[in-house]
Amino acid sequence: MRRAASAVVVIAALALALGGIASAHTKKFPTTVTIALQGSPTGDSFAGQVKSSLKKCKQNRKVLVYRQGALVGQTKSDETGAWVLSLGGSFASPGKYTAVALRKKYVKPGQKHICLKGTSPEFKITGGGGP
């Protein structure tokens, strides 16, 4: 009798565990990124927006700015997805720039949300930097 009761408890526990696994889901959310130059007499900045249908995928995303494949700098987006990368009093050199929001995932029991990597369209600066 005790064996039968123990077997029922084990079977019930397995059913609950497997039911939890079966109901778990993974959802991927595309990300888009924008980039623009903000010039000033004291130095340039790059700014843009991280966009996604999931609010968490906009917030606190690491954004890397590249010039022709070389890393210029990195920053993080705010709660609205806005980001700014100051060039620290310097001016942007001519070239082709892109901003990349890195992949990020949020895991909770029963669910995994993946914010996919997003890359901005190329932004081209021509001519010399400075005011």
Side-chain angles (χ1 to χ4, degrees), residues 35-111:
I35 185 171
L37 181 67
Q38 294 181 331
S40 83
T42 58
D44 292 338
S45 298
F46 287 100
Q49 207 55 47
V50 175
K51 300 177 182 181
S52 179
S53 61
L54 182 67
K55 186 176 180 180
K56 283 184 182 182
C57 287
K58 299 178 199 178
Q59 302 171 332
N60 204 31
R61 290 287 292 275
K62 186 182 279 190
V63 177
L64 308 176
V65 175
Y66 293 93
R67 178 180 171 264
Q68 296 167 196
L71 182 65
V72 173
Q74 67 181 29
T75 188
K76 288 202 173 195
S77 61
D78 68 13
E79 64 279 349
T80 67
W83 62 269
V84 176
L85 176 67
S86 170
L87 296 181
S90 296
F91 298 95
S93 300
K96 297 174 183 176
Y97 292 82
T98 54
V100 177
L102 298 181
R103 181 180 186 269
K104 191 171 189 176
K105 67 181 175 181
Y106 296 93
V107 179
K108 290 184 188 177
Q111 70 179 11

Side-chain angles (χ1 to χ4, degrees), residues 23-40:
S23 66
H25 76 276
T26 298
K27 189 159 184 190
K28 296 179 180 180
F29 295 88
T31 300
T32 58
V33 185
T34 63
I35 185 171
L37 181 67
Q38 294 181 331
S40 83

